[in-house]
Amino acid sequence: MWVAGQVRQRSGGGRPGALRPGFTLSRGMKVGLYGGSFNPAHEGHAHVAETARQRLGLDRVIWLVAPQNPLKSSTETQPLDARLAGVRALARDRGMIVSDVEARLGTRYTLDTVLALKARFPGVRFVWIMGADSLAGFHRWRGWTQIMRALPVAVVSRPWISLKSRSSPAARRFAAARIPFTRAQGLAGQPAPAWIFLYGPLNFQSSTALRGRLQAARARQG
C-alpha cells in the first residue's frame, strides 16, 4: 500500500528567471518534458527521448536537467554545468532543447516545474517522459498523483525493469488511465490522467554503470 496526499502547489512567477525560461514554444505544439539529473547523460537517455519524440509525434523534447535530484546524494552528483554539457553533446537534433529552467525557476520538484511551465505556455500540449526505471519508483516522487493528473505521461521501456514497472504502485493506481500504444500519436491531446507504455529496441547503458567505470578508471590512475 502507498500513501499519496496532496501537496501545496507553489508558483515560480515571483522568481527573476520565471518569465525567461531560455526557450520559446508556440501554442498548439506537442512538447515532451524529460527530466532527470543525467549524471552523466548517456545513450540510454537519448534512446528514451528519441523514442518518445518519434512515437508521440512531438514537436520538441525539453531535457530538464535538474540542479539536484531530491532522491539522490549531492556528493555523487556532478556540477550542473558539466551535466548540461553532457546532455548537449547527446541531444543535437533540432527537435531537442537542453534546459536549466529548474535552476532559473528555483523549482526542486517535478510537480512545481510542470505547473510553472503550463502556466508560462498556455496552449502548449505537454507530455511528461520517463524511462520504465523511473515509473518503478514514481510513487516516491513528491505529489506524484498530482503530476499524473496534470499532464499525460509516456513511459519508455528500459532493460530488466519493464515488467516490474508495469506492476508498480503508480501503474496499478492509474491502470484505468493507460491507453494502448496504437494511440501514441494522440497522447498529447488526451486529458490527464492518461499514460502510455512505449516498447522498442532496448538500450542497456545506465548512469550507475558509467559512474562505476569512471570511478574505477580514476582509482587505477591514482
Side-chain angles (χ1 to χ4, degrees):
M1 188 61 186
W2 62 93
V3 178
Q6 297 289 300
V7 298
R8 183 172 62 87
Q9 299 176 1
R10 56 169 290 185
S11 170
R15 294 295 300 267
L19 299 179
R20 298 188 297 274
F23 51 81
T24 59
L25 302 172
S26 302
R27 184 179 293 271
M29 273 186 168
K30 297 195 295 184
V31 177
L33 301 176
Y34 184 29
S37 53
F38 304 113
N39 182 47
H42 55 72
E43 291 293 341
H45 293 133
H47 166 75
V48 169
E50 185 59 29
T51 297
R53 187 173 75 91
Q54 292 185 12
R55 298 286 183 86
L56 304 179
L58 300 175
D59 298 297
R60 300 285 187 275
V61 172
I62 303 176
W63 297 57
L64 302 171
V65 185
Q68 174 59 46
N69 186 326
L71 298 179
K72 296 183 180 180
S73 170
S74 60
T75 61
E76 297 181 357
T77 303
Q78 293 181 329
L80 178 59
D81 287 347
R83 289 182 285 118
L84 284 165
V87 174
R88 290 190 184 104
L90 280 177
R92 295 176 176 172
D93 189 278
R94 63 179 299 273
M96 301 290 178
I97 297 172
V98 180
S99 175
D100 62 349
V101 71
E102 291 191 320
R104 292 169 180 254
L105 294 172
T107 53
R108 186 181 180 195
Y109 298 101
T110 295
L111 176 62
D112 297 326
T113 303
V114 165
L115 295 176
L117 290 176
K118 288 184 65 177
R120 174 65 181 82
F121 296 105
V124 172
R125 291 174 287 174
F126 288 111
V127 175
W128 185 259
I129 300 169
M130 68 171 82
D133 47 343
S134 293
L135 179 63
F138 190 49
H139 57 288
R140 299 187 182 94
W141 293 24
R142 178 183 184 270
W144 65 277
T145 60
Q146 289 163 274
I147 297 171
M148 290 291 291
R149 293 188 173 97
L151 77 174
V153 173
V155 181
V156 180
S157 59
R158 290 285 289 146
W160 302 297
I161 196 71
S162 291
L163 181 60
K164 180 180 178 181
S165 68
R166 283 180 282 131
S167 60
S168 66
R172 287 185 283 121
R173 174 71 173 266
F174 289 95
R178 183 178 173 183
I179 67 174
F181 68 90
T182 54
R183 294 168 52 192
Q185 291 281 323
L187 179 67
Q190 290 287 320
W195 68 283
I196 194 168
F197 198 98
L198 300 174
Y199 299 91
L202 298 178
N203 187 296
F204 285 79
Q205 283 202 26
S206 75
S207 294
T208 301
L210 286 178
R211 287 197 300 274
R213 288 198 291 271
L214 288 172
Q215 290 170 359
R218 293 192 193 102
R220 289 195 297 269
Q221 293 172 359

